Amino acid sequence: MFGYGRSNFTWNGTLRELEGRRPPCFTERSRPSMTAPPSSSSGLEVLLSTLQNAGDVESTINILNVLDELLSAGTDRRIHYMITKGCSEALLTALVNTGRSFSPNFHLLLPLLHLLAKIGHRDRRIGVKAEDAGAALLTLNLLRQNIKYARRAAACLWVIQVFSSSVSTANLIGENHGLETVYRLIPHFTTKHLHAIKAAVDAFAALLCTKANVCSVVSKGYVAGLLRLHEDWHAKAVQHGAVAICHSLLRCLHKVTHSTAGRQAFVSQGGIRLLYGTTQTCLLSKDLESLVEPSVQLMRKCLTKTPLPLTSDWSAYSFPMPGRAHAVPAMDAEPDENSEETEEDDNEAEDSKEADFDEDLETDLHKLRLRPDPDRPKELLPQYSRLCPELSHDFQELGLCSEPEKSSAASSTSDGDAALLNGSQSHLSGTDGGWSDSSTSSSASDPVGHTAALAQLEARDFHSHRSILSTGPSFRTKVREARQKVFEDVQRFLITDGIINQVVFDLEDSSLQCPSDSLRFFSGFECGNLRKAVRVRRWEYDLILNADVNSSQHTQWFYFEVSNMVAEVPYRFNVINCEKSNSQFNYGMQPVLYSVTEALEGRPHWLRTGTEICYFRNHFCPARGRRKTTFYTLTFTITFKHNEDVCYLAYHYPYTYSALTAHLKVLQNSVDPAKVFFQQQVLCCTLAGNPCPVVTITARPASRGWKDMHQVRNRPCIVLTGRVHPGESNASWVMKGTLEFLCSSDPVAQSLREAFVFKLIPMLNPDGVVNGTNRCDLSSEDLNRQWSKPDPVLCPTIYHTKGLLYYLNSIGRTPLVFCDYHGHSRKKNVFLYGCSVKETLWQSGSAVNTVGLKEDPGYRTIPKTLDRLAPAFSFNSCNYLVEKSRSATARVVVWREMGVLRSYTMESTHNGCDQGIYKGLQTGTKELQEMGGKFCHSLLSVTKDVKSLDSQRLIGHIDNDVLDHKSHNCFEDDEPPCVEQIEYSADCPAPNGADLDSDVNANATAADEQEDNDGHGEAKVRSGGVGRALQSSARGRLFPPAM
Ligand SMILES: [Zn+2]
């Protein structure tokens, strides 16, 4: 607490008291000077009203004291209350009234400015309010009149800083030469008045929030000046505790380099080398560590964009689409030279991310509740009766033998492999509709290679099925290691000694000669993805991934072969064209490796491996496309165990289409036909002609008696789908767990089979999986955005899955549960997304009254049960919000169009868990499969009629009615910030309110300077936020002469 006047006053009450009665400072003496508001007004309103009416100095100071105490002792809520009651406006009016006079009274003005800075920092609209009150330019003038007085100047500068939170106010100050005024207040290194100097740098940084001001600063040549200032301050910062000033100068440079011109000026003035030098000294000193990150960010941001070393951004694989003349555009789009400019627009974007998120929520009650018309005529539905063999089957073989199923549908097959091979051969190596290479050369991506790979189940895929993978300890890259990797990325462009830059693998050029001491790469097999490898240094390789087929984007999934290695040497790999803006690779995730030598020695396992792993935005841009596209580097180091081994590296445990067909065959042969009705059929063929399997699992009836048969034919349906996104191989492992559990002899599985008919479509996107795409199918569409109106030719698997669901709907067998299995690349644990009208409306803050709205809370039953049953599951990560951007996903369409209350997306982590018994561990396929089994367990919670088992005993008490958790806005990351910012376009962290408060408070309590008597005596400044107290050794002006 501090006071400004002698008659110091301390407020010990609460805001409520102040609201209820008149404050003690409201004395008889000051009453006549105010226009008293109606007696019903709160104490705060009385204070503010008095403040604006220019009472005598002493009572005004008292009011300022009370307000300051309220502010200091209050929470954010109280401050917000003060702002809503007009506190900012009252202070601005008082400032204008006081500041306008010919010789303003600084005993009053100083506390006023201090309080305005503190309140203003918390008032998002302070800039606009200041403009309305005419306070912005007035403060600038006050600054100009008082540049010799450090305390006054600092106070004005803080206020200018907070006013600049508004773009228009910052521009107004800029137009009135405010930038020059403030810039000239920043001297080269001095030990005097650090707090005022820091205030000047902070105000300058704040003014740079607008495009116009940045342009103005660049054209005036201030970038060079800022660099020299930084260099000068940096050199002496340690000894003199002026690190905060260096930090603020870096923030100015960050803001300036938002513009292309600013970045050019930065580079041409030698900014990168200068910062590289200063950063190296920072790395050695603990005190300077806080400067490392903003410096590295700045360098990364300003590095010239380097196009990827590719002739085309278009995928190396193309597929001629039905109805399209050419799959590949005649020529890639020319680089858009001006595209970079658009980045600057981010500068003035005022909408917060949160606002964007809420805007995406669907608030139109019609869209949330009413079913749209079906996307096809009713006549097309009966064809799907063939996919419900349990309804027409006569179970004649009951009790006799286990003859193979004969379904009514011709496409039904008990021999999935045969169908696959025929299908794949006729399509993939055929002359029409076959694969073609987008490049002219015949190469490793030759269609034959793919067919061969497809036709033969790779040993490692088989083994990965058989092996039980133990959970490995999560590997966390150490802080310094991650920082070092990012720093080295910059270093590579400054110090080019030892750089080789030789292409050693190119999917499109099989004739490439690889040096004998280089690693060898290959990716021409099922699910493989690697387009190019460049040897950067002796033991370091840049890897470029192939875009999705018929597309120039979606790179993330990788899977390739590497050989010719030397054992026990750390090899560094940099995957340089990843697209996701963050990755679990920053939070303990490792890639997976399979060693052929290890397999031959009896250890055929995929294992998590790699050290020094981190993921960050790089300076690469597309070879020919828009320069604005952002790429990220995943870097990791692998030390191979064996010389001359053949190893496979992948983003996650692979699960191929061939593995699925083999697995289904094994499963079919393993079930007890007396108990389990298991039928595999073909839903449809994909664009490339791969059959998409659909599996029906239920219990056989106990007898052919009417009652038993009736029960079978009236079992509710549960529909489960998966792997619509090929890069989410974890979804397939969860699906594998589900399939195996449902076919098992576990009593829960038997109960489930007796209670339900399961329809599983384990792989909705076989073509994408086969070709190693990350997101799309061959038509380069995200199939999980096609559900509203799927095209029967381009998206056959979605079209027919939806057809099956429509059919079930039409015969009164709407599924009780629908779940689409996915993988999540940026979160831990396993969780569900569901759909709820009420929660969506609540979350969006919609005005729609939800009181009368009836909604069955049953959509929470399964997640709640899973929270208890499945160790990897996290209830708190679930949400039930319906977003416009996801209106065409399986979950939302099945919920809205089919009326399935329990319609979910199940997201499984690629990494591991941060709760439960797996906390801190990375999942193996075992844990993913376990999750698939536990999901089945949870389905017991929705049975109403489980005869043989006491479901309550198995799953515990489930309370359907209590909504004890709130939905979270958790579609984005929920990780803590990374050690090193992944993105570098962001500003360095802005000073927070507490920092500003402490600077201001230090200014307020500073011993009275001899401000009225320039040159007389020495100024003492206690610089709270800047560093230690300093005593000026020189007399004279506080600042160099300005203007
Ligand atoms: Zn997905």
Side-chain angles (χ1 to χ4, degrees), residues 290-302:
S290 66
L291 298 177
V292 173
E293 190 188 322
S295 303
V296 173
Q297 301 303 350
L298 200 44
M299 286 186 274
R300 288 167 63 201
K301 183 170 148 188
C302 296

Side-chain angles (χ1 to χ4, degrees), residues 546-596:
N546 192 21
D548 282 3
V549 177
N550 284 356
S551 142
S552 60
Q553 47 182 348
H554 306 297
T555 44
Q556 199 78 13
W557 165 260
F558 60 86
Y559 180 18
F560 57 86
E561 179 190 287
V562 57
S563 57
N564 202 38
M565 62 281 282
V566 179
E568 304 305 330
V569 170
Y571 285 92
R572 179 173 173 183
F573 298 95
N574 311 305
V575 181
I576 59 171
N577 63 335
C578 298
E579 284 182 20
K580 294 244 177 184
S581 59
N582 197 353
S583 164
Q584 280 291 327
F585 283 119
N586 276 328
Y587 305 98
M589 183 162 90
Q590 294 172 289
V592 295
L593 177 130
Y594 181 94
S595 155
V596 170

